[in-house]
Amino acid sequence: MEWKTKYRKILKKRITMRIAYITAAVLVLAIAVAILNWGRIKIAIHNKKGADYYHKGMYNEAMAEFQKAIMIKLDYAEAHNNLGVIYRTKGLYDNAIDEFHRAIRFKPKFSIAYYNLARAYSQKNYKQKSIESLKQAIHLNYKFINLAINEKAF
């Protein structure tokens, strides 16, 4: 009878240890997920702040927010596109074109980035490049036909 009692104690101890290891692993996983989500939240906050500043005409502040988002996630296509819009608005067309290309590189089917690239090329008087970019934007999202018709940049 004594060996059965010892065996049960050992078995109970092993089960308790395994539960502790599993609990610790779940906790570490939960912390890792929280850290990843916090990064995404910070990126979204900077992008939203940048958009708000842009709509208020506070372009330098908007640029700073988009650049903060990019510093957190270098391949964040939306922030590159938004930064390109500000460069284009400020007349810095070469910088804008570079940012739109980055946005497209990180998100190849990003139709608005193609449309914005077409606008920047048009403003630089690169008509052929503008047409090619506009075609790609329309191919990805048909709504850009109506925008292009009404847009003064083309």
Side-chain angles (χ1 to χ4, degrees):
M1 195 88 135
E2 190 177 303
W3 68 272
K4 285 183 181 181
T5 307
K6 277 186 174 181
Y7 179 73
R8 284 184 185 150
K9 282 183 182 180
I10 292 170
L11 191 58
K12 188 176 181 182
K13 190 175 182 180
R14 286 183 180 172
I15 291 171
T16 303
M17 290 301 293
R18 286 185 181 158
I19 290 171
Y21 289 138
I22 292 170
T23 303
V26 168
L27 183 59
V28 168
L29 182 62
I31 291 169
V33 168
I35 289 170
L36 288 174
N37 285 337
W38 177 242
R40 289 185 189 123
I41 290 168
K42 285 175 66 175
I43 292 166
I45 289 170
H46 288 303
N47 202 45
K48 173 74 169 91
K49 277 182 167 179
D52 291 343
Y53 283 134
Y54 172 78
H55 292 297
K56 292 177 184 175
M58 300 169 70
Y59 301 131
N60 291 334
E61 292 82 356
M63 284 175 60
E65 291 300 326
F66 295 135
Q67 288 168 341
K68 287 177 186 175
I70 291 167
M71 285 173 52
I72 296 169
K73 187 172 191 290
L74 295 175
D75 63 346
Y76 189 45
E78 287 78 2
H80 284 288
N81 180 67
N82 293 340
L83 189 56
V85 169
I86 292 173
Y87 284 137
R88 193 188 69 233
T89 301
K90 293 178 91 173
L92 302 169
Y93 303 121
D94 291 328
N95 293 17
I97 289 167
D98 290 342
E99 290 301 328
F100 296 136
H101 278 293
R102 284 186 190 100
I104 291 165
R105 183 176 64 228
F106 296 132
K107 192 173 178 181
K109 295 189 179 190
F110 197 12
S111 59
I112 189 71
Y114 280 103
Y115 183 76
N116 287 329
L117 180 61
R119 292 177 69 195
Y121 278 142
S122 179
Q123 289 168 313
K124 290 261 315 175
N125 211 22
Y126 297 164
K127 297 300 179 192
Q128 189 58 38
K129 288 182 177 184
S130 178
I131 290 168
E132 291 303 317
S133 297
L134 183 58
K135 282 180 184 178
Q136 187 63 29
I138 292 168
H139 172 73
L140 293 169
N141 189 334
Y142 197 72
K143 78 174 184 176
F144 289 111
I145 277 189
N146 293 330
L147 285 174
I149 291 170
N150 298 321
E151 180 68 45
K152 292 179 183 178
F154 296 107

